[in-house]
Amino acid sequence: MPLISTKTKKNLVVGAGFSGAVMAERLASILGEDVLVIDKAKNLAGLAFDYKESGINIHKTGSHIFHTNHDFIWKYLNRFSKFDIYSHKAKAFVEGHFIDIPLNLNSLYQIFPASLAQKIESKLLKKYGYGAVVPLSDFKTNPFFFDCDLEFLAGYVFQNIFEGIYKKRRNSIFDSRQAFVKEKVSISLTKDDRFYKSKYQGLPAFGYTKLIENMLSHKNIRVLLDTNFKTVDVEGFDRVFYTGPIDEFFNFKYGMLNYKSAVFELEELDVEKYQNSGVTVYPNNYDFIKIHEFKHFKIPHSEALLTFQQKEAKTPWAQKTIISKEYQTDFMPGKNERLYPVLDEKNLKILSQYKAEAKKLNNVYFFGRLGDFKYYSMDCAIKRALELFDAVKFKAAIEFCKEQNPESVLNRV
Ligand SMILES: Cc1cc2nc3c(=O)[nH]c(=O)nc-3n(C[C@H](O)[C@H](O)[C@H](O)COP(=O)(O)OP(=O)(O)OC[C@H]3O[C@@H](n4cnc5c(N)ncnc54)[C@H](O)[C@@H]3O)c2cc1C
């Protein structure tokens, strides 16, 4: 029974990634409305799509680690799946050593001889105190503070870590010094070697695709995969929720928004483990930028639970690993995926024109990483969808009051 309408509204949700799934789930379970979810892909979950191979859960688009500081988002997601506890760690391969990134006090000892590391560490602690997060550009740009050891550290990180990554991300090397300052490349004065410091971190125990499937398992929701928005007649839908690319919706009339993309190459290897962390970044060596190894994401449960005999019997899990080499590329329509929006002046101007067009439409909502042309971590995409749902619910409540009471003061505003 619909909660705040006399007739059940019909909703079309375009995209079955996190953004679309959250919206569909809320419309169906809170408003009791009908929802058709379509996705042009053959699978659910958008960029978070994962699947099993040789018993290992593969993330198709690089590593996807869920992390959030928001209690309500963690609680919301845990209604649809159990989560495995996991703290993500990443390393960078620099001058033959694997060093913690983001940089922390351990990284100093992994990079430099102990005497130099100690000297830099004590200068940093004396000046900033334990626990501070210090942008390295401070050592180069602050005219009131000059210390040759700290300046050396900043220069080392710029040349041996940042510049290589920046170049591999297919950026113009001329901007690299400005980017080093703008991106606030920092060192954390702690021994905390986790990649994310969020309060909650983990991975859905049965994968993201299963989690999204659970979110969409509601009697009011119908899902059509392999279905492009362009082929759907929107007549008959009261609202359209669009999480595809906003420029595509308007047939690129103001031009195409630019993204960076990547290619992920899987390799199955006959070794128990290939590397010491879930992700290793290669700033200077080889032509790939990262290697992801998915087995790391499941260690506490799967490996700990293997009996000695299973390990001896060399189960597929123990015997094999799967890695994914990530190569950065430009976005080429029809050839690869839109991954990272390029937020330069040109694109932001184009975006503002599409946003102005979008405002003129009634009951068509744009959101998600492609609809907003914005990088969202998964929790931010979920938060954005939940907030949009609240606005839609509020609008529906006002319309309901007007319908129920034509004399209402609401009909005069
Ligand atoms: C390489 C990479 C790694 C990432 N790692 C992390 C991480 O570790 N942790 C984290 O929190 N976040 C991570 N993210 C971010 C995460 O992927 C996004 O937050 C999330 O995917 C956003 O979900 P979405 O639903 O907005 O978009 P998407 O997942 O892209 O979903 C959009 C859906 O719309 C569909 N669609 C598009 N056009 C049409 C059309 N015309 N018709 C029908 N369907 C259409 C697409 O097929 C897609 O399924 C990463 C992102 C990238 C690029």
Side-chain angles (χ1 to χ4, degrees):
M1 175 68 183
L3 291 183
I4 47 176
S5 177
T6 44
K7 93 178 194 356
T8 302
K9 290 212 160 114
K10 287 198 171 66
N11 300 280
L12 175 66
V13 172
V14 182
F18 265 106
S19 302
V22 168
M23 183 57 72
E25 186 280 324
R26 294 285 83 187
L27 290 164
S29 25
I30 301 298
L31 296 187
E33 296 183 354
D34 288 339
V35 189
L36 173 65
V37 179
I38 59 162
D39 201 300
K40 67 177 185 180
K42 290 188 170 67
N43 52 266
L44 297 173
L47 281 196
F49 174 59
D50 54 4
Y51 59 97
K52 278 243 157 54
E53 218 171 279
S54 301
I56 299 167
N57 198 45
I58 311 293
H59 296 185
K60 186 173 172 240
T61 316
S63 303
H64 270 71
I65 314 301
F66 186 79
H67 59 102
T68 187
N69 282 320
H70 297 290
D71 298 335
F72 73 98
I73 291 180
W74 182 249
K75 276 192 194 136
Y76 173 68
L77 276 195
N78 273 265
R79 286 165 49 188
F80 306 103
S81 172
K82 262 174 38 186
F83 271 70
D84 289 335
I85 301 299
Y86 169 72
S87 289
H88 188 49
K89 295 188 181 174
K91 303 268 182 197
F93 181 71
V94 181
E95 294 193 305
H97 300 286
F98 292 96
I99 63 169
D100 294 357
I101 49 162
L103 300 177
N104 59 54
L105 293 175
N106 300 328
S107 320
L108 296 176
Y109 290 86
Q110 292 156 348
I111 302 174
F112 302 122
S115 58
L116 178 58
Q118 226 159 32
K119 195 164 144 201
I120 294 176
E121 180 183 37
S122 57
K123 281 188 177 179
L124 285 169
L125 290 174
K126 194 165 164 211
K127 176 149 182 61
Y128 299 96
Y130 189 82
V133 177
V134 190
L136 293 170
S137 56
D138 269 16
F139 310 148
K140 281 189 153 294
T141 54
N142 187 345
F144 302 106
F145 171 69
F146 178 77
D147 182 295
C148 58
D149 290 319
L150 298 188
E151 202 195 351
F152 168 74
L153 171 67
Y156 183 92
V157 172
F158 175 76
Q159 267 173 17
N160 292 284
I161 306 177
F162 182 81
E163 208 175 29
I165 295 175
Y166 194 73
K167 231 186 325 192
K168 280 193 181 174
R169 283 198 208 132
R170 304 178 79 76
N171 292 306
S172 154
I173 206 63
F174 298 113
D175 312 331
S176 60
R177 283 183 189 275
Q178 281 157 287
F180 186 65
V181 178
K182 209 168 138 202
E183 292 186 21
K184 288 194 178 313
V185 178
S186 304
I187 178 162
S188 153
L189 306 188
T190 67
K191 298 257 179 186
D192 185 347
D193 62 350
R194 292 169 305 160
F195 190 81
Y196 300 114
K197 311 291 190 268
S198 312
K199 180 172 174 187
Y200 302 102
Q201 296 189 43
L203 285 108
F206 307 102
Y208 289 104
T209 310
K210 185 68 190 160
L211 164 65
I212 299 274
E213 189 189 314
N214 292 345
M215 293 178 88
L216 296 175
S217 299
H218 188 287
K219 65 178 173 42
N220 295 356
I221 301 178
R222 198 158 68 92
V223 179
L224 282 180
L225 294 176
D226 206 4
T227 305
N228 198 312
F229 173 63
K230 285 181 194 148
T231 64
V232 176
D233 181 3
V234 294
E235 283 296 311
F237 289 101
D238 298 289
R239 305 188 198 97
V240 176
F241 294 93
Y242 185 84
T243 73
I246 188 167
D247 51 351
E248 195 176 282
F249 183 94
F250 292 106
N251 292 318
F252 307 105
K253 65 194 269 195
Y254 299 116
M256 187 179 275
L257 293 165
N258 193 15
Y259 291 79
K260 302 274 179 202
S261 189
V263 172
F264 297 90
E265 275 180 8
L266 290 187
E267 282 178 36
E268 192 166 307
L269 304 171
D270 287 332
V271 290
E272 192 173 344
K273 281 271 171 59
Y274 178 78
Q275 59 189 25
N276 284 330
S277 53
V279 172
T280 304
V281 179
Y282 288 82
N284 309 310
N285 300 95
Y286 311 106
D287 43 0
F288 45 81
I289 190 167
K290 286 180 196 168
I291 296 187
H292 307 261
E293 188 175 23
F294 306 106
K295 251 178 143 180
H296 288 271
F297 306 156
K298 197 70 182 173
I299 295 167
H301 289 263
S302 314
E303 244 183 16
L305 289 177
L306 285 181
T307 62
F308 176 73
Q309 284 85 348
Q310 280 171 315
K311 280 188 182 157
E312 281 296 286
K314 294 235 184 291
T315 58
W317 171 266
Q319 219 173 16
K320 282 190 192 309
T321 191
I322 296 181
I323 59 169
S324 170
K325 288 184 178 152
E326 176 176 344
Y327 300 82
Q328 301 278 292
T329 61
D330 292 326
F331 167 60
M332 286 170 284
K335 295 209 168 128
N336 55 24
E337 288 258 12
R338 295 168 167 89
L339 293 186
Y340 304 101
V342 178
L343 300 173
D344 61 12
E345 216 176 297
K346 182 176 165 224
N347 279 312
L348 292 176
K349 191 166 169 231
I350 296 175
L351 178 66
S352 68
Q353 289 170 294
Y354 287 125
K355 282 200 164 164
E357 287 285 316
K359 263 196 185 152
K360 293 182 204 157
L361 300 174
N362 213 2
N363 293 325
V364 181
Y365 301 90
F366 295 84
F367 62 117
R369 65 176 199 99
L370 298 168
D372 284 336
F373 189 62
K374 202 167 178 180
Y375 180 84
Y376 286 126
S377 52
M378 288 180 276
D379 67 327
C380 290
I382 292 166
K383 185 164 176 283
R384 163 81 170 112
L386 289 173
E387 284 167 359
L388 177 62
F389 170 74
D390 281 345
V392 169
K393 187 175 70 173
F394 184 69
K395 192 173 167 209
I398 301 260
E399 280 166 6
F400 181 63
C401 290
K402 285 179 177 178
E403 247 173 70
Q404 293 294 296
N405 181 4
E407 297 305 311
S408 159
V409 69
L410 291 173
N411 279 315
R412 279 177 257 139
V413 288

